[in-house]
Amino acid sequence: MPAGNPPHRDSYRDSPKSTGKAPTESRSADLLSFIQELSLQETYQAVLDCTAAWLKLLVPCDRSSLTFPVMPKGKWSIGAPKELRVTVLDDNAAIPTDWVLPIDGSQAGRTFSTGLMSGSDDFAGETAVDLAKLIQAGILSSRCAPLVAGGRTI
């Protein structure tokens, strides 16, 4: 199956008896298929395209994005990144692509720093810069999950 073509599923939330969650067996099979397809991608853009196509199936949401650390500039720069760059995976640009946000003072930064999932069902009144952008767009709940490779958040 080429990148960007996850299997079609009727909405798991449309059934009158639905809990809003996909059946475990189907989700496990979908997740395995996604991982297999992701491992076949050969470019940065192909990885993003594959992830974007599958994300709506795996995690139903109104908006999705990835953030990547911005490493310190300069040939001899040493140290941990201080900022994250946003890559939007869908059409919702509440936080635009290429927007740079500080690791200190953002929910995505907190997730990157701790390596732990974070989120809230109602973050009205939060001061994190990324959450403030979401509030401006009318989005009042969020989840951030770290990408971890080799025991390090990437």
Side-chain angles (χ1 to χ4, degrees), residues 5-17:
N5 293 311
H8 172 74
R9 296 270 190 273
D10 292 330
S11 173
Y12 296 115
R13 295 176 279 181
D14 289 343
S15 168
K17 296 181 181 179

Side-chain angles (χ1 to χ4, degrees), residues 131-148:
L131 299 183
K133 284 284 231 189
L134 295 177
I135 290 169
Q136 287 175 354
I139 299 171
L140 297 177
S141 66
S142 175
R143 297 290 180 273
C144 285
L147 298 174
V148 179

Side-chain angles (χ1 to χ4, degrees), residues 69 80-84 101-110 112-113:
K82 304 277 188 244
E83 300 172 316
L84 300 171
L101 59 123
I103 289 176
D104 292 334
S106 67
Q107 180 184 17
R110 214 172 16 251
F112 176 80
S113 296

Side-chain angles (χ1 to χ4, degrees), residues 44-104:
Y44 172 77
Q45 188 60 52
V47 167
L48 292 179
D49 291 344
C50 179
T51 302
W54 280 81
L55 195 60
K56 291 278 186 182
L57 174 70
L58 298 171
V59 183
C61 57
D62 292 326
R63 133 174 229 296
S64 57
S65 63
L66 294 173
T67 57
F68 297 98
V70 177
M71 298 309 289
K73 304 256 189 275
K75 185 175 180 181
W76 302 104
S77 294
I78 299 173
K82 304 277 188 244
E83 300 172 316
L84 300 171
R85 183 173 307 278
V86 175
T87 300
V88 177
L89 297 178
D90 55 24
D91 295 335
N92 189 329
I95 297 176
T97 285
D98 289 332
W99 192 55
V100 176
L101 59 123
I103 289 176
D104 292 334

